Amino acid sequence: MKVSISTDAPTKVRADLLVLGVRTGQLGKDKLTKQLDKAVHGALTDAAKLEDFSGKSGESLRVTVRGIEAGVVLLVGLGDAALKESDFRLLAVKSAQAGMKYASIALVLPEGFEDRARAARLATEGLLGGNYKYTQYLTGDRLPKRRTEVAHLVVTKDDGDLRRAVRDGGAVGESVNFARDLVNAPPNDLTPSALAEAARSEGEARGLSVKVWDKKALEKLGMNLFLAVARGSSEEPRMVHMTWKPKKVKAGTKKIAFVGKGLTFDSGGLCIKPPKSMIDMKCDMAGAAATVGIMLACARLELPIEVHGFIGATENMTGASAYRPGDVFTSHEGKTVEIINTDAEGRLVLADVLSYVAKEVAPDYLIDHATLTGACMVALGPWTAGLFANDDELAAGYARAAGAEGESFWRMPLDEDLRDALKSDIADMKHVGDSHGGSITAALFLKEFVGKSKWMHLDIAGPAFLDRPHHQFPKGGTGFGIATAVRFLESLVG
Ligand code: BES
Ligand code: MN
Ligand code: ZN
C-alpha cells in the first residue's frame, strides 16, 4: 500500500472509503463535517442520530453516501480531550483496517494538533500498520479479493514537511510490517539460515552491509553457549551482523548496537515444553525480527548515526546431540556455565552474542530485544515489555521514546541480591536461578556478559506476539519495539 498526500477537498478526493475523525458533539457543526454532511444530503447527521453516534472516543459509524466521490464514509469518534499522538496513530490504524477490502481509502488528517508533520508521520505509520495482514500461506477463497493500494492522507495545506513526514512514516511502517512477516512465518520455512538470508537480502537492498557467520565460523569464535543450544537441531545456526554507517555521521553522536534473540523455534529442548506452551514458539525470534526492523528503518530514514544490529539465530530442539541439564560449556567470554534447564536457551545465545558485540563493536549503548521469559509476562501482563538497564540515562531516554510511540515498557530491577541464585558448585555459574524473579535472574545472567557496556535488556516475551489485537498491534507478530527504538535513535541525533 502506498500513502500519498492529497489536498483535495474531502468531497472531491477519489477514494472508495473516506474516514473522518469527529470530536464529541461536533458532527454537522464544525466547518468540515457541516460541508460534507450537506454534500451527502444530511446522510451523516441522519445516520448519527439513528445510531446514537456522538463522536465519543471508541465510537465509529459507517455510512453509505451519495453526492461525493467516496461511496462510503467512516466516522470515528475522537472524544473531546486535546488530541494526542496516539489519537492519530489509532485513527489511522482503524481507517486502514476498516478499509482493508477497498482498493483506495482516504483519511482526513484532523486539525488542531500543533506538530502537523508528526501527526502526518504517525498517521502514515498507522495506515501501513493497520493494513497489515499475513497472507503468505493462504490459497483460493482464503486470499483477499482486493487489498488497499492507495491511502490518501487528506490535508488542507501541503508543504515539504508533510511530504517528508509521510516518507518517514512509511519507512517505519514498512519496517514494522517486515518484522511482523518474519515473526508470523512458520518455523519449517523460517529456519535459522532462512532468517539470516532474509536479513541479508532485505538489508542489502536497503543499503546496509550484512555479514553472516555459519556454524563453522561460530565454532572458530568459541561461541559454545550459542552452539550448545543449536546442537539438538538439524538446522545450522547463524549469527548476523547488519551495519548502518551513514555517509555523514553527525559529529558527537553515539554508536549504538542492537542484539536480538533469534530462536526460530523453541521446543524447550530436552526439558521439553508442553504442547500448549510450544504452539506459539515460532515467535521466539521476535527479538531478531525487531532488530532487523530497526536496522531497515535506520537505512530507510538515513539516520545520521552509526547503528549495528546482531542476531543469534538457531532452533532449540531435542535431536540426539541435544545439550543436557548438567552439561558445562565455556562461553565466548570465558566463563564456564552449568546448564540447568534446556528451555532457558535464549540467555545462552544472547550471552555469547552480547560478549562478542561488547568486545568487537564496543558500542556506547548495547541494547537487546528478546522473548526471554514467561516470568516477565507473569509480572507485567501480555502488553508490557520488561526494561532492565545498568544505566539510568539510557533507561529514561528509552522510556520517553516508548511513551511517545505508544509502546509499553516497565523498568525492572537488576536486583544484585538475586545474583546468588546463579552460583554453581562445579562451574563459574549456573544459567537459571530459582523460580521466583525469573525475568530478573535471566537479566542478571546476561549482565555477566556485557563487560562495562552501558546496556539495556528488553524482555518482549509478552508484546511481541499477541493472541488478540491490542491498540495499534495486530494479533500474531506485532513488530513491537521498532517504533520506540527509532524514536530513541532520532532523539540522540536531535
Ligand atoms: N522463549 C521462552 C520464553 C517465552 C515464553 C516467550 C512465552 C514467549 C512466550 C524462553 O526460552 C523460555 O522457555 N523461558 C523459560 C525459562 C525457564 C526454563 C527458566 C520460561 O520462561 O519458562
Ligand atoms: Mn525456552
Ligand atoms: Zn525461548
Side-chain angles (χ1 to χ4, degrees), residues 261 266 273 281 284 341 343 345 371-374 377 461:
K261 171 177 173 181
D266 177 12
K273 285 180 186 291
M281 280 305 127
D284 213 17
N341 183 325
D343 197 11
E345 80 300 333
T371 47
L372 203 64
T373 65
M377 299 170 71

Side-chain angles (χ1 to χ4, degrees), residues 210-272:
V210 183
K211 179 173 176 183
V212 179
W213 285 258
D214 62 9
K215 184 169 164 222
K216 259 212 192 103
L218 292 172
E219 281 166 357
K220 261 199 205 134
L221 290 179
M223 297 223 159
N224 300 316
L225 299 183
F226 186 165
L227 289 162
V229 175
R231 283 171 55 141
S233 170
S234 56
E235 295 289 338
E236 268 210 19
R238 293 283 187 271
M239 181 165 80
V240 181
H241 177 193
M242 310 172 86
T243 308
W244 170 243
K245 262 196 197 143
K247 284 186 203 88
K248 269 185 271 160
V249 176
K250 195 171 166 190
T253 54
K254 294 184 156 60
K255 177 163 76 176
I256 315 297
F258 290 91
V259 170
K261 171 177 173 181
L263 266 287
T264 61
F265 188 70
D266 177 12
S267 72
L270 292 178
C271 305
I272 196 162

Side-chain angles (χ1 to χ4, degrees), residues 17 23 48 90 112 116 124 141 146 148 155 165 196 214 219 231 247-248 272 345 355 492:
L17 174 76
R23 315 299 308 266
L90 284 178
R116 289 175 76 236
T124 305
D141 284 352
R146 243 177 283 109
T148 312
V155 299
D214 62 9
E219 281 166 357
R231 283 171 55 141
K247 284 186 203 88
K248 269 185 271 160
I272 196 162
E345 80 300 333
S355 66
L492 293 178

Side-chain angles (χ1 to χ4, degrees), residues 85-324:
E85 293 195 8
S86 57
D87 293 320
F88 291 93
R89 184 183 301 112
L90 284 178
L91 174 64
V93 169
K94 265 192 209 160
S95 305
Q97 282 170 348
M100 197 78 98
K101 56 177 197 274
Y102 299 106
S104 60
I105 64 174
L107 167 62
V108 181
L109 192 70
E111 297 285 335
F113 187 75
E114 212 177 319
D115 190 347
R116 289 175 76 236
R118 178 60 72 180
R121 175 168 167 168
L122 290 166
T124 305
E125 246 176 81
L127 283 167
L128 283 161
N131 185 245
Y132 179 79
K133 192 171 161 61
Y134 189 66
T135 57
Q136 213 73 47
Y137 292 82
L138 297 177
T139 68
D141 284 352
R142 295 294 313 281
L143 271 170
K145 288 192 185 56
R146 243 177 283 109
R147 294 298 307 269
T148 312
E149 271 148 38
V150 228
H152 302 283
L153 197 56
V154 183
V155 299
T156 43
K157 194 171 97 251
D158 181 12
D159 48 42
D161 277 3
L162 290 198
R163 275 187 191 263
R164 208 198 140 82
V166 167
R167 223 184 50 222
D168 291 353
V172 178
E174 301 274 6
S175 304
V176 168
N177 285 349
F178 185 78
R180 290 175 177 175
D181 273 349
L182 290 178
V183 176
N184 288 327
N188 57 328
D189 281 348
L190 194 87
T191 57
S193 50
L195 174 55
E197 269 324 299
R200 190 208 290 280
S201 60
E202 190 70 11
E204 285 177 348
R206 301 289 162 194
L208 297 165
S209 49
V210 183
K211 179 173 176 183
V212 179
W213 285 258
D214 62 9
K215 184 169 164 222
K216 259 212 192 103
L218 292 172
E219 281 166 357
K220 261 199 205 134
L221 290 179
M223 297 223 159
N224 300 316
L225 299 183
F226 186 165
L227 289 162
V229 175
R231 283 171 55 141
S233 170
S234 56
E235 295 289 338
E236 268 210 19
R238 293 283 187 271
M239 181 165 80
V240 181
H241 177 193
M242 310 172 86
T243 308
W244 170 243
K245 262 196 197 143
K247 284 186 203 88
K248 269 185 271 160
V249 176
K250 195 171 166 190
T253 54
K254 294 184 156 60
K255 177 163 76 176
I256 315 297
F258 290 91
V259 170
K261 171 177 173 181
L263 266 287
T264 61
F265 188 70
D266 177 12
S267 72
L270 292 178
C271 305
I272 196 162
K273 285 180 186 291
K276 274 204 174 118
S277 310
M278 207 191 292
I279 179 65
D280 287 338
M281 280 305 127
K282 67 173 185 182
C283 83
D284 213 17
M285 35 58 71
T291 303
V292 173
I294 291 163
M295 296 310 298
L296 296 175
C298 287
R300 282 186 166 113
L301 293 166
E302 299 186 55
L303 292 186
I305 178 171
E306 182 178 335
V307 186
H308 298 260
F310 283 81
I311 68 183
T314 178
E315 283 187 323
N316 185 22
M317 300 293 276
T318 59
S321 307
Y323 76 135
R324 323 157 185 83

